[in-house]
Amino acid sequence: MNRFPLFLDLIDRRTVIVGGGAAALRKARLLIAAGGRPILLASAFATATRAELEGQAELIERAPVREDFAGAMLAFITIENHDEAGRLAAIGRQADALVNVVDRPALCDFTTPSIVDRGAITVAISTGGAAPVLGRKLRADIEALLPARADALAGFAAVYRDAVKSQFSQQDRRAFWEKFFDGPIAARVLAGDETGAHEAMLEAINRPQEIAEQGVVHIVGAGPGDPELLTLKAFRLIQGADVILYDRLVGDEILSLARRDADRFYVGKAKADHAVPQEEIEARMIAFARAGKNVVRLKGGDPFVFGRGGEELQALRAAGVAAYVTPGITAATGCAAAAGMALTHRDYAQSVTFVTGHAKGDTDPDLDWAALAALKNTLVVYMGVGKAGPIASNLLSRGRAGDTPVAVIENGTRDDQIVAKGILRELENVIETHGIKGPALLIIGEVAGLADSEALGDLAQQERNAA
Ligand SMILES: C[S@@+](CC[C@H](N)C(=O)[O-])C[C@H]1O[C@@H](n2cnc3c(N)ncnc32)[C@H](O)[C@@H]1O
């Protein structure tokens, strides 16, 4: 550590910024966000700066003089004229202000860190002036890890600070808080369920032995395959899970984000090969939650799109288990983006319909074919590869043109993605020619003509080789 970090209280403290440009505005935003009311001095201010800082800062349109720095705690010099900046820095220092001259570390008493701001929770990162860009990258990593509701968690804990203090000895207090922040009550606060969290907290304080006895289940969408398509929330929940129950389409790259000591259970289903029956999956989640575990039920795509997420949520709620849902990018939107094809398009499609090609037993899907055959609709069929023949003939017999473009996207967003294009009357042929086995989507409609038809995985590989 070559700099000493500290967090200053700016309320009712004088802070001065010299300059009226973009750098001055950035510093003003920072000071205002921390509760300060900076004084800006410049010969001119842009209209946008005036409008943004109106009522939150004092803008003085003239050159700074010695008296402006008197009593200032901090002074930022943001002007480009080096000599003038040096002169003003010296004046600021004589007035006992801590001085920062933008982009001139040698003239600075302090640097401004990269900041992760979650209200009361603030993380400040310094590289000691050596590599500000690295500081910003580290900040982005920490942003991803720190829950958006970290501030709410701090506020929640503050409410119970005195109650916990009066109920527990000093030693037990620490153990209580450690358990709390890793446990299901904190998970409820972070999920936005403060009412449930308050009830559980009162129980926990009055009957401390039970604090870890009720866990939570998060039903989480893992997206279509590319780990970078995980939401920040999914990423954080996976990293915090004690137990993960995952499906067939959740890849190793995503599972490897879990803690090493997390228990992982494969509960995926393939057609006619039900690894674990649905009731058993639900029973396991309930049992783990009742044992106080933080459970993540990880599903491909979005849990509420052909994912049985709704049934699982109902079962958990019926069992009185706290359960929350985190959406994911569904295969349709993921595949469409990866294949460069919009699902709706002003010129080609005003609606999009998601259907499943899967039907009970080995029957053909029983769908409203007349509605699905409508023009200017994009039809996305999940689990439809094995039923491509009946799907095409049902649409054709209800009037959809035989030359309607189709795209079959296998392993969308993954390195081995294939986009096979053709026309509706040859749908089965397209699947056979490209050896498509799934997971794949059938996209039927004019927009499918816009899809990139290369195996994008090959392109990705070429890019990696070239790098
Ligand atoms: C049980 S459904 C689950 C859908 C998932 N909940 C979603 O929102 O994407 C499985 C089907 O989704 C489609 N699918 C899932 N991931 C895919 C991918 N990466 N590429 C193409 N299709 C995919 C396939 O049709 C697969 O048979």
Side-chain angles (χ1 to χ4, degrees):
M1 185 160 83
N2 65 358
R3 300 283 160 94
F4 181 69
L6 47 81
F7 291 89
L8 292 176
D9 182 353
L10 295 184
I11 309 289
D12 295 332
R13 304 305 297 260
R14 185 178 176 85
T15 53
V16 173
I17 300 173
V18 178
L25 181 59
R26 280 197 294 275
K27 299 298 180 201
R29 283 184 188 136
L30 277 181
L31 297 178
I32 291 166
R37 196 173 193 286
I39 298 164
L40 282 84
L41 295 135
S43 47
F45 291 100
T47 319
T49 306
R50 271 195 180 287
E52 179 173 335
L53 298 181
E54 177 84 55
Q56 307 187 80
E58 193 180 330
L59 272 61
I60 303 177
E61 211 162 75
R62 62 164 168 74
V65 294
R66 187 171 292 274
E67 290 68 37
D68 291 321
F69 296 93
M73 184 195 229
L74 301 176
F76 290 92
I77 317 290
T78 72
I79 55 175
E80 282 176 13
N81 181 325
H82 278 206
D83 293 344
E84 181 62 359
R87 188 183 76 81
L88 290 170
I91 293 176
R93 213 161 278 128
Q94 280 160 16
D96 286 337
L98 289 170
V99 176
N100 175 286
V101 183
V102 168
D103 289 338
R104 305 210 27 216
L107 292 183
C108 288
D109 297 322
F110 68 96
T111 53
T112 42
S114 296
I115 296 169
V116 181
D117 179 3
R118 295 281 193 279
I121 309 293
T122 313
V123 182
I125 303 145
S126 162
T127 57
V133 176
L134 174 62
R136 286 199 284 277
K137 275 181 76 63
L138 294 173
R139 184 196 124 181
D141 292 346
I142 295 171
E143 285 275 8
L145 277 177
L146 208 63
R149 292 181 53 82
D151 185 31
L153 186 58
F156 183 93
V159 169
Y160 291 97
R161 214 170 141 169
D162 288 344
V164 171
K165 203 167 175 179
S166 64
Q167 191 82 345
F168 299 98
S169 69
Q170 197 175 8
Q171 202 184 347
D172 289 350
R173 219 150 54 214
R174 193 194 164 109
F176 177 91
W177 284 121
E178 276 173 5
K179 233 171 181 179
F180 166 83
F181 285 113
D182 281 339
I185 303 179
R188 287 185 186 207
V189 179
L190 293 176
D193 177 13
E194 292 219 11
T195 312
H198 281 298
E199 282 166 17
M201 189 66 169
L202 290 172
E203 281 271 294
I205 292 174
N206 295 325
R207 286 186 282 157
Q209 67 285 2
E210 287 175 22
I211 187 169
E213 281 176 12
Q214 266 290 343
V216 294
V217 177
H218 289 276
I219 302 175
V220 178
D226 178 354
E228 297 217 311
L229 292 178
L230 273 183
T231 61
L232 290 181
K233 192 167 182 181
F235 177 71
R236 181 176 61 72
L237 291 172
I238 292 169
Q239 294 203 318
D242 300 318
V243 179
I244 297 182
L245 294 97
Y246 64 97
D247 280 350
R248 186 170 62 96
L249 293 178
V250 177
D252 288 344
E253 277 169 300
I254 288 176
L255 288 170
S256 70
L257 299 173
R259 285 199 326 252
R260 228 175 277 164
D261 61 344
D263 290 321
R264 300 176 202 175
F265 298 97
Y266 173 69
V267 292
K269 303 180 210 65
K271 230 167 94 227
D273 160 29
H274 284 237
V276 182
Q278 187 63 29
E279 303 70 42
E280 170 71 25
I281 297 174
E282 288 161 10
R284 279 197 205 177
M285 288 194 287
I286 292 166
F288 282 128
R290 286 187 175 152
K293 302 288 183 194
N294 202 345
V295 182
V296 164
R297 169 74 174 110
L298 199 52
K299 292 171 161 289
D302 181 278
F304 278 180
V305 178
F306 305 125
R308 303 189 77 166
E311 290 166 47
E312 293 180 6
L313 183 65
Q314 281 174 320
L316 291 163
R317 295 217 163 138
V321 168
Y324 310 100
V325 179
T326 298
I329 292 181
T330 189
T333 48
C335 289
M341 163 195 12
L343 292 174
T344 64
H345 189 296
R346 276 208 301 180
D347 297 333
Y348 305 109
Q350 272 74 55
S351 61
V352 56
T353 315
F354 297 171
V355 297
T356 170
H358 181 64
K360 278 210 165 139
D362 198 29
T363 57
D364 290 346
D366 179 20
L367 299 167
D368 181 354
W369 295 109
L372 297 178
L375 265 182
K376 300 227 165 183
N377 174 49
T378 303
L379 180 60
V380 181
V381 188
Y382 287 68
M383 296 169 276
V385 170
K387 295 287 175 190
I391 289 169
S393 55
N394 273 302
L395 291 171
L396 292 170
S397 70
R398 302 311 194 286
R400 195 85 206 226
D403 61 356
T404 302
V406 296
V408 182
I409 304 177
E410 184 178 60
N411 290 316
T413 80
R414 298 167 198 246
D415 282 350
D416 50 355
Q417 168 172 304
I418 291 176
V419 182
K421 286 172 68 172
I423 54 173
L424 183 57
R425 85 166 77 84
E426 288 165 9
L427 181 59
E428 270 191 296
N429 224 351
V430 172
I431 290 171
E432 208 181 303
T433 315
H434 288 83
I436 285 175
K437 304 270 180 298
L441 288 183
L442 317 180
I443 302 188
I444 301 167
E446 273 61 31
V447 292
L450 306 176
D452 308 321
S453 58
E454 265 130 317
L456 295 190
D458 289 353
L459 283 184
Q461 192 58 51
Q462 279 166 24
E463 270 171 25
R464 273 197 293 276
N465 293 344

